[in-house]
Amino acid sequence: MIIASTDNLIKRFGKFEALKGINLALHEGEVFGFIGPNGAGKSTAIRVLLGILQASEGTAQIFGKDAWKDAVEIHKRVAYVPGDVSLWPNLTGGEIIDLFTRLRKKSGQTRRAQLIKQFDLDTSKKCRTYSKGNRQKVALVSAFASEADLYILDEPTSGLDPLMEQVFRQCVQEVKAQGKTVLLSSHILQEVEQLCDRVSIIRQGEIIETGTLQELRHLTRTSITVQTERPLEELGTQAGVHDILTEAEGTMFSVDTKLLGQTIEYLGQHGIVALECTPPTLEQLFMRHYE
């Protein structure tokens, strides 16, 4: 079941085209990664989905409703965390969390208390005294304490330390286990790689790749370190083999993933003593598109 989607979504600001016909589809119960550098169009697409901006062309829908016309109804079932949280300076963190959770028909006080403890947040302080990381914690506690069906998280760990990033990842995994859907926009590729079922890479307002991590890894190369009984004299002539380097610990090279099988077969003919294969990372794929 598709929870949220865009169809040929275009957004213009004057003559500048920020989104150039993007197509997205988020399925129920998945964590969907939306990655790209600053200025690529991630936040613009999210604001159109949230009904904050109106599309110039194309459509955006959440729960089968129009993102612009039905924004009020949609927001009753959506939790949103922006990358740069602004809070009322004279309210305490606890007061703001209470305010946000009361806007929901369903929100648990027990869950609220657990999250405050997990994120190590002092809710008695006025928000004007909070660091960026603490403001982010208030937004995350408010989001995960509410019973939403879709969580839209736009650079949600901005300002958090590594320990709190781990707590955030646990929260995402928990809501996914409950069958909820998460749209995670991030430039932290390790975070996306650990959490997401599928990803879309956006560049200059266009979606250039979409798929599961396994599908996307077929588009890049696997790194191999090997020791063999006999010299690999013809390795450089093998299809799909690149960047050969021979050192004391063995021969290192990369190979197009789709040709990995025949490369291993070639190595086997030379008597493999030791073999280490490192699958391509999302970062390698990402950089390939931006180099």
Side-chain angles (χ1 to χ4, degrees):
M1 178 180 175
I2 295 178
I3 296 295
S5 64
T6 66
D7 182 25
N8 196 32
L9 182 63
I10 295 172
K11 178 59 186 176
R12 300 186 189 93
F13 296 98
K15 293 182 179 180
F16 175 67
E17 202 167 60
L19 299 176
K20 304 172 183 178
I22 69 168
N23 297 295
L24 296 171
L26 279 68
H27 299 110
E28 186 175 10
E30 78 172 346
V31 181
F32 189 91
F34 195 33
I35 63 175
N38 293 335
K42 302 189 302 295
S43 294
T44 301
I46 285 173
R47 285 170 185 150
V48 172
L49 271 172
L50 287 167
I52 297 170
L53 295 175
Q54 186 174 17
S56 303
E57 292 181 34
T59 60
Q61 292 188 329
I62 296 181
F63 309 127
K65 301 178 186 293
D66 185 275
W68 177 257
K69 295 176 182 176
D70 302 312
V72 174
E73 278 301 306
I74 288 170
H75 282 210
K76 292 176 182 178
R77 299 171 60 191
V78 173
Y80 169 54
V81 177
D84 192 8
V85 176
S86 296
L87 301 173
W88 294 275
N90 289 324
L91 294 181
T92 66
E95 288 170 338
I96 288 179
I97 292 169
D98 287 341
L99 173 62
F100 283 136
T101 53
R102 279 202 299 269
L103 293 174
R104 306 278 172 192
K105 290 182 180 178
K106 295 180 182 178
S107 59
Q109 288 299 310
T110 303
R111 181 65 177 145
R112 172 191 181 279
Q114 287 173 345
L115 287 164
I116 289 170
K117 184 176 180 181
Q118 282 179 282
F119 279 103
D120 191 25
L121 176 65
D122 185 348
T123 57
S124 64
K125 290 184 177 179
K126 298 281 189 184
C127 287
R128 63 170 175 267
T129 68
Y130 278 159
S131 64
K132 176 176 174 57
N134 279 329
R135 293 197 304 272
Q136 211 66 29
K137 289 179 186 181
V138 170
L140 288 168
V141 170
S142 301
F144 287 118
S146 61
E147 290 290 330
D149 294 312
L150 172 63
Y151 295 81
I152 297 180
L153 312 174
D154 188 7
E155 303 283 0
T157 58
S158 176
L160 295 186
D161 61 48
L163 185 61
M164 293 301 106
E165 286 177 11
Q166 186 60 41
V167 173
F168 163 76
R169 290 171 193 170
Q170 290 171 2
C171 291
V172 171
Q173 289 162 348
E174 286 170 9
V175 296
K176 180 190 174 183
Q178 295 165 12
K180 308 301 177 67
T181 305
V182 179
L183 172 59
L184 173 61
S185 165
S186 180
H187 65 272
I188 303 174
L189 299 179
Q190 183 185 17
E191 184 172 84
V192 174
E193 202 159 19
Q194 286 185 1
L195 290 174
C196 296
D197 302 297
R198 291 190 304 131
V199 298
S200 276
I201 300 175
I202 186 170
R203 180 180 66 186
Q204 296 174 352
E206 295 181 271
I207 301 291
I208 51 175
E209 295 283 2
T210 297
T212 66
L213 292 179
Q214 193 59 43
E215 288 167 347
L216 294 180
R217 280 172 176 156
H218 285 299
L219 302 172
T220 188
R221 297 170 182 167
T222 297
S223 301
I224 292 180
T225 301
V226 65
Q227 293 178 7
T228 54
E229 295 172 355
R230 295 177 292 282
L232 300 169
E233 295 173 350
E234 298 178 357
L235 180 61
T237 66
Q238 301 301 304
V241 171
H242 309 270
D243 308 322
I244 300 170
L245 180 63
T246 302
E247 294 187 351
E249 60 267 29
T251 301
M252 292 172 280
F253 62 95
S254 61
V255 60
D256 294 338
T257 303
K258 63 182 179 181
L259 299 173
L260 182 59
Q262 68 184 52
T263 304
I264 296 296
E265 186 178 342
Y266 166 79
L267 296 175
Q269 295 169 4
H270 294 75
I272 297 174
V273 176
L275 177 68
E276 181 181 334
C277 294
T278 306
T281 64
L282 186 59
E283 184 170 10
Q284 288 171 318
L285 176 70
F286 183 81
M287 292 309 298
R288 177 184 147 209
H289 285 295
Y290 276 90
E291 285 174 347

